[in-house]
C-alpha cells in the first residue's frame, strides 16, 4: 500500500463558456482565480484555476472552457460530484447565495454530514459539506466572510457500474474503506489532508457517461514532491497500470493513468506551485503561457474571451 498520497490535488472539468465559468467560481463560490493560462495541448483554449489564496493542493478546481461545448451525459465511469468543505452552520448562507446561480439545490445527509448539492449551468455536480474543525484558510477576497468561506475540497464521488477494481486501486493508493450506506462506500486517507475522502457510488445499471461540458475530465491526487511521484509511478507500473511519463505542467509535475471503469487519474506534485511565475498578490490576473507557446502570444490572446 502506498503512503505518499494524502488527498486530492485538483479536479479538472470541461465548461462551455469561459466568462460564465469565471464568474461562477470567483463571484458566486468566492474562489480566487489563481492562474489564467491555456490548455498546453490546445493553446486556443483557456486553462483556468480557482482555489484558495495560493491555490493550495486540495483546493484547486480547474477548467478547460471549450466554447459552446456540448453538455456531457452524466452516468457511470466518471466523477459525479466534487465536494467542497465549508464551516459548520454555513449552509443556509450558501443556499441563499446559490439560489439563483445554481441548479438542483438539494439539502442531504451523507455519512453524517450536512450537505448542499447543486449543479452548475453546465450540469456539473457539486456539493458543499459542513465539516467541523477544518482549519484550512478559506479565501475571503470576494465578499464571503471567513465563517462561510470554502476551505478546499472535502473529496469527490465516483460513479461506477462495478466498484470492485476501484476499491482495490484506492486501497493500494492508501485509502481505507470507512463505511457503506446503501450503494455508496466511503474511503479516506487516515492521516490525510482535508481533501482526503472518496465515495464510490455503485450504479450497476447506469449507462456509461459521455464527456462534454459539465464533465470532470480528470481527478488529481497530491504527492509532496517529484521523488514521491516517481515512487508512486513505479508502484503503479508494477501493478500493471499504463502510466504516462512525468509531464511538466509548469505549476506541478503530472503523471496520468486510466482507471478500471474509465476515470482518468492524475498524480500531481505539490511543488513548485502557482507562485512560481507571478506574485501571490497578483495570482491569476495576467495570461501566463508555457514557454513553448510564448512566441504565439498575440495570436493566442486574439482567440481568448476577455475575463473579468
Ligand atoms: Zn490535472
Amino acid at each position: 500500500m502506498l503512503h505518499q498520497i494524502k488527498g486530492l490535488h485538483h479536479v479538472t472539468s470541461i465548461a462551455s463558456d469561459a466568462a460564465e465559468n469565471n464568474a461562477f467560481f470567483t463571484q458566486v463560490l468566492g474562489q480566487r482565480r489563481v492562474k489564467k493560462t491555456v490548455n498546453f495541448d490546445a493553446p486556443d483554449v483557456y486553462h483556468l484555476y480557482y482555489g484558495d489564496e495560493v491555490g493550495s493542493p486540495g483546493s484547486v478546481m480547474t477548467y478547460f472552457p471549450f466554447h459552446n461545448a456540448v453538455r456531457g451525459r452524466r452516468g457511470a465511469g466518471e466523477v459525479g460530484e466534487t465536494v467542497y468543505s465549508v464551516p459548520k452552520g454555513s449552509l443556509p448562507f450558501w443556499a441563499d447565495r446559490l439560489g439563483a446561480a445554481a441548479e438542483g439545490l438539494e439539502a442531504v445527509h451523507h455519512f453524517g454530514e450536512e450537505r448542499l448539492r447543486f449543479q452548475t449551468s453546465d450540469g456539473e455536480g457539486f456539493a458543499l459539506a459542513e465539516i467541523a474543525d477544518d482549519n484550512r484558510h478559506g479565501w475571503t477576497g470576494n465578499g464571503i466572510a471567513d465563517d462561510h468561506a470554502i476551505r478546499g475540497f472535502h473529496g469527490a464521488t465516483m460513479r461506477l457500474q462495478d466498484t470492485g477494481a476501484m476499491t482495490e486501486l484506492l486501497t493500494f493508493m492508501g485509502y481505507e474503506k470507512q463505511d457503506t450506506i446503501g450503494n455508496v462506500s466511503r474511503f479516506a486517507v487516515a492521516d490525510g489532508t482535508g481533501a482526503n475522502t472518496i465515495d464510490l457510488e455503485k450504479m450497476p445499471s447506469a449507462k456509461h457517461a459521455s464527456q462534454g461540458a459539465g464533465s470532470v475530465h480528470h481527478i488529481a491526487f497530491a504527492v509532496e514532491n517529484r521523488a514521491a511521484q516517481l515512487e508512486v509511478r513505479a508502484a503503479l507500473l508494477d501493478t500493471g497500470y499504463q502510466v504516462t511519463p512525468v509531464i511538466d505542467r509548469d505549476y506541478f509535475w503530472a503523471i496520468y493513468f486510466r482507471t478500471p471503469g474509465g476515470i482518468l487519474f492524475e498524480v500531481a506534485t505539490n511543488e513548485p506551485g502557482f507562485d512560481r511565475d507571478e506574485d501571490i498578490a497578483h495570482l491569476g490576473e495576467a495570461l501566463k503561457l508555457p514557454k513553448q507557446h510564448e512566441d504565439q502570444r498575440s495570436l493566442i490572446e486574439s482567440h481568448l474571451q476577455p475575463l473579468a
Side-chain angles (χ1 to χ4, degrees):
M1 188 171 110
L2 295 169
H3 57 88
Q4 296 89 345
I5 292 166
K6 303 298 183 194
L8 295 180
H9 187 284
H10 64 269
V11 176
T12 295
S13 297
I14 298 167
S16 63
D17 187 275
E20 191 175 293
N21 176 255
N22 182 67
F24 184 76
F25 277 85
T26 60
Q27 291 166 27
V28 179
L29 293 185
Q31 295 292 277
R32 186 179 195 197
R33 191 176 70 220
V34 293
K35 195 61 64 181
K36 181 166 74 169
T37 182
V38 293
N39 181 327
F40 288 11
D41 305 313
D44 55 334
V45 175
Y46 275 123
H47 195 177
L48 302 174
Y49 292 73
Y50 311 101
D52 65 9
E53 182 183 15
V54 297
S56 301
S59 78
V60 184
M61 193 69 219
T62 100
Y63 278 89
F64 299 131
F66 286 95
H67 196 61
N68 290 331
V70 173
R71 192 187 267 218
R73 186 183 70 216
R74 303 279 77 80
E78 67 175 353
V79 173
E81 199 165 70
T82 302
V83 184
Y84 281 117
S85 165
V86 294
K88 282 277 189 188
S90 66
L91 287 187
F93 164 85
W94 283 109
D96 195 42
R97 189 175 179 95
L98 288 166
E103 298 168 10
L105 250 66
E106 184 188 8
V108 291
H109 300 273
H110 184 83
F111 291 104
E113 300 159 4
E114 301 297 331
R115 287 188 170 197
L116 183 64
R117 308 178 70 185
F118 63 93
Q119 289 97 47
T120 66
S121 59
D122 284 322
E124 182 175 0
F126 281 92
L128 303 175
E130 287 192 354
I131 305 297
D133 306 321
D134 185 341
N135 52 23
R136 291 177 289 172
H137 294 289
W139 173 246
T140 55
N142 292 285
I144 294 180
D146 185 56
D147 56 351
H148 298 142
I150 287 172
R151 289 330 198 224
F153 295 131
H154 178 48
T157 298
M158 300 180 185
R159 295 178 177 152
L160 296 160
Q161 289 171 340
D162 180 87
T163 52
M166 185 62 92
T167 295
E168 271 182 42
L169 172 60
L170 288 177
T171 305
F172 180 69
M173 290 169 65
Y175 282 77
E176 293 168 37
K177 191 188 227 177
Q178 292 190 323
D179 201 1
T180 299
I181 299 176
N183 64 332
V184 185
S185 293
R186 160 64 55 93
F187 293 76
V189 181
D191 60 343
T193 63
N196 64 334
T197 67
I198 295 289
D199 294 337
L200 295 188
E201 188 173 351
K202 189 174 180 178
M203 304 171 69
S205 55
K207 273 193 179 170
H208 213 266
S210 77
Q211 201 163 76
S215 301
V216 171
H217 183 271
H218 63 268
I219 182 166
F221 296 84
V223 291
E224 193 59 36
N225 53 41
R226 297 187 69 192
Q229 185 179 51
L230 290 175
E231 291 167 10
V232 170
R233 183 172 185 274
L236 288 167
L237 285 169
D238 277 351
T239 312
Y241 285 97
Q242 304 282 324
V243 188
T244 67
V246 175
I247 299 170
D248 181 358
R249 292 303 188 198
D250 277 8
Y251 310 106
F252 48 88
W253 299 83
I255 57 174
Y256 303 87
F257 62 105
R258 188 71 63 179
T259 62
I263 299 173
L264 183 62
F265 274 18
E266 175 182 344
V267 177
T269 59
N270 291 351
E271 59 183 11
F274 294 99
D275 61 346
R276 77 173 281 273
D277 61 357
E278 53 190 343
D279 289 342
I280 286 172
H282 296 286
L283 284 181
E285 292 174 10
L287 178 68
K288 307 306 281 190
L289 295 177
K291 54 183 177 301
Q292 65 269 31
H293 297 314
E294 191 60 63
D295 61 340
Q296 297 175 71
R297 174 174 283 272
S298 55
L299 179 66
I300 289 170
E301 281 179 337
S302 73
H303 288 292
L304 295 170
Q305 201 178 352
L307 296 179

